[in-house]
PDB file of all heavy atoms in Angstrom:
ATOM      1  N   HIS E 209     -18.645 -90.217  75.805  1.00  0.00           N
ATOM      2  CA  HIS E 209     -18.672 -88.924  75.066  1.00  0.00           C
ATOM      3  C   HIS E 209     -19.193 -88.987  73.694  1.00  0.00           C
ATOM      4  O   HIS E 209     -19.686 -87.880  73.127  1.00  0.00           O
ATOM      5  CB  HIS E 209     -17.234 -88.366  75.031  1.00  0.00           C
ATOM      6  CG  HIS E 209     -16.610 -88.177  76.367  1.00  0.00           C
ATOM      7  ND1 HIS E 209     -17.031 -87.124  77.222  1.00  0.00           N
ATOM      8  CD2 HIS E 209     -15.556 -88.776  77.154  1.00  0.00           C
ATOM      9  CE1 HIS E 209     -16.380 -87.019  78.355  1.00  0.00           C
ATOM     10  NE2 HIS E 209     -15.498 -88.052  78.355  1.00  0.00           N
ATOM     11  N   ASP E 210     -19.197 -90.127  73.022  1.00  0.00           N
ATOM     12  CA  ASP E 210     -19.688 -90.191  71.625  1.00  0.00           C
ATOM     13  C   ASP E 210     -21.290 -89.970  71.667  1.00  0.00           C
ATOM     14  O   ASP E 210     -21.824 -90.684  72.498  1.00  0.00           O
ATOM     15  CB  ASP E 210     -19.417 -91.515  70.978  1.00  0.00           C
ATOM     16  CG  ASP E 210     -19.567 -91.541  69.542  1.00  0.00           C
ATOM     17  OD1 ASP E 210     -20.427 -90.990  69.058  1.00  0.00           O
ATOM     18  OD2 ASP E 210     -18.626 -92.090  68.829  1.00  0.00           O
ATOM     19  N   PRO E 211     -21.735 -89.072  70.809  1.00  0.00           N
ATOM     20  CA  PRO E 211     -23.231 -88.961  70.852  1.00  0.00           C
ATOM     21  C   PRO E 211     -23.996 -90.232  70.472  1.00  0.00           C
ATOM     22  O   PRO E 211     -25.202 -90.271  70.814  1.00  0.00           O
ATOM     23  CB  PRO E 211     -23.467 -87.949  69.755  1.00  0.00           C
ATOM     24  CG  PRO E 211     -22.258 -87.185  69.719  1.00  0.00           C
ATOM     25  CD  PRO E 211     -21.111 -88.033  70.021  1.00  0.00           C
ATOM     26  N   LEU E 212     -23.359 -91.184  69.971  1.00  0.00           N
ATOM     27  CA  LEU E 212     -24.043 -92.387  69.760  1.00  0.00           C
ATOM     28  C   LEU E 212     -24.457 -93.203  71.083  1.00  0.00           C
ATOM     29  O   LEU E 212     -25.186 -94.122  70.947  1.00  0.00           O
ATOM     30  CB  LEU E 212     -23.049 -93.427  69.030  1.00  0.00           C
ATOM     31  CG  LEU E 212     -22.851 -93.097  67.500  1.00  0.00           C
ATOM     32  CD1 LEU E 212     -21.596 -93.872  67.063  1.00  0.00           C
ATOM     33  CD2 LEU E 212     -24.029 -93.408  66.762  1.00  0.00           C
ATOM     34  N   PHE E 213     -23.979 -92.770  72.246  1.00  0.00           N
ATOM     35  CA  PHE E 213     -24.537 -93.208  73.370  1.00  0.00           C
ATOM     36  C   PHE E 213     -25.905 -92.576  73.664  1.00  0.00           C
ATOM     37  O   PHE E 213     -26.664 -93.114  74.647  1.00  0.00           O
ATOM     38  CB  PHE E 213     -23.581 -93.082  74.550  1.00  0.00           C
ATOM     39  CG  PHE E 213     -22.398 -93.969  74.473  1.00  0.00           C
ATOM     40  CD1 PHE E 213     -21.139 -93.403  74.016  1.00  0.00           C
ATOM     41  CD2 PHE E 213     -22.487 -95.340  74.739  1.00  0.00           C
ATOM     42  CE1 PHE E 213     -19.959 -94.170  73.954  1.00  0.00           C
ATOM     43  CE2 PHE E 213     -21.319 -96.083  74.650  1.00  0.00           C
ATOM     44  CZ  PHE E 213     -20.102 -95.570  74.170  1.00  0.00           C
ATOM     45  N   SER E 214     -26.184 -91.510  73.150  1.00  0.00           N
ATOM     46  CA  SER E 214     -27.476 -90.760  73.329  1.00  0.00           C
ATOM     47  C   SER E 214     -28.443 -90.914  72.208  1.00  0.00           C
ATOM     48  O   SER E 214     -29.626 -90.872  72.444  1.00  0.00           O
ATOM     49  CB  SER E 214     -27.309 -89.330  73.650  1.00  0.00           C
ATOM     50  OG  SER E 214     -26.465 -89.285  74.762  1.00  0.00           O
ATOM     51  N   TYR E 215     -27.873 -91.085  70.917  1.00  0.00           N
ATOM     52  CA  TYR E 215     -28.737 -91.050  69.717  1.00  0.00           C
ATOM     53  C   TYR E 215     -28.210 -92.197  68.843  1.00  0.00           C
ATOM     54  O   TYR E 215     -27.179 -92.624  68.905  1.00  0.00           O
ATOM     55  CB  TYR E 215     -28.698 -89.677  69.026  1.00  0.00           C
ATOM     56  CG  TYR E 215     -29.072 -88.512  69.878  1.00  0.00           C
ATOM     57  CD1 TYR E 215     -28.134 -87.652  70.331  1.00  0.00           C
ATOM     58  CD2 TYR E 215     -30.413 -88.267  70.088  1.00  0.00           C
ATOM     59  CE1 TYR E 215     -28.492 -86.595  71.141  1.00  0.00           C
ATOM     60  CE2 TYR E 215     -30.847 -87.181  70.915  1.00  0.00           C
ATOM     61  CZ  TYR E 215     -29.916 -86.292  71.414  1.00  0.00           C
ATOM     62  OH  TYR E 215     -30.266 -85.278  72.154  1.00  0.00           O
ATOM     63  N   SER E 216     -29.263 -92.491  67.988  1.00  0.00           N
ATOM     64  CA  SER E 216     -28.825 -93.542  66.878  1.00  0.00           C
ATOM     65  C   SER E 216     -28.098 -92.941  65.810  1.00  0.00           C
ATOM     66  O   SER E 216     -28.037 -91.838  65.614  1.00  0.00           O
ATOM     67  CB  SER E 216     -30.201 -94.174  66.398  1.00  0.00           C
ATOM     68  OG  SER E 216     -30.864 -93.343  65.593  1.00  0.00           O
ATOM     69  N   PHE E 217     -27.538 -93.953  64.987  1.00  0.00           N
ATOM     70  CA  PHE E 217     -26.900 -93.425  63.765  1.00  0.00           C
ATOM     71  C   PHE E 217     -27.715 -92.718  62.832  1.00  0.00           C
ATOM     72  O   PHE E 217     -27.482 -91.553  62.298  1.00  0.00           O
ATOM     73  CB  PHE E 217     -26.291 -94.707  62.923  1.00  0.00           C
ATOM     74  CG  PHE E 217     -24.966 -95.182  63.399  1.00  0.00           C
ATOM     75  CD1 PHE E 217     -24.804 -96.408  64.233  1.00  0.00           C
ATOM     76  CD2 PHE E 217     -23.823 -94.435  63.120  1.00  0.00           C
ATOM     77  CE1 PHE E 217     -23.542 -96.813  64.476  1.00  0.00           C
ATOM     78  CE2 PHE E 217     -22.463 -94.827  63.506  1.00  0.00           C
ATOM     79  CZ  PHE E 217     -22.547 -96.115  64.311  1.00  0.00           C
ATOM     80  N   GLN E 218     -28.965 -93.202  62.794  1.00  0.00           N
ATOM     81  CA  GLN E 218     -30.035 -92.576  61.896  1.00  0.00           C
ATOM     82  C   GLN E 218     -30.347 -91.190  62.470  1.00  0.00           C
ATOM     83  O   GLN E 218     -30.476 -90.126  61.612  1.00  0.00           O
ATOM     84  CB  GLN E 218     -31.358 -93.346  61.805  1.00  0.00           C
ATOM     85  CG  GLN E 218     -32.295 -92.707  60.862  1.00  0.00           C
ATOM     86  CD  GLN E 218     -33.471 -93.636  60.720  1.00  0.00           C
ATOM     87  OE1 GLN E 218     -33.621 -94.788  61.225  1.00  0.00           O
ATOM     88  NE2 GLN E 218     -34.456 -93.217  59.978  1.00  0.00           N
TER      89      GLN E 218
END
Side-chain angles (χ1 to χ4, degrees):
H209 293 289
D210 197 320
L212 283 167
F213 289 105
S214 300
Y215 301 104
S216 68
F217 275 107
Q218 183 176 358

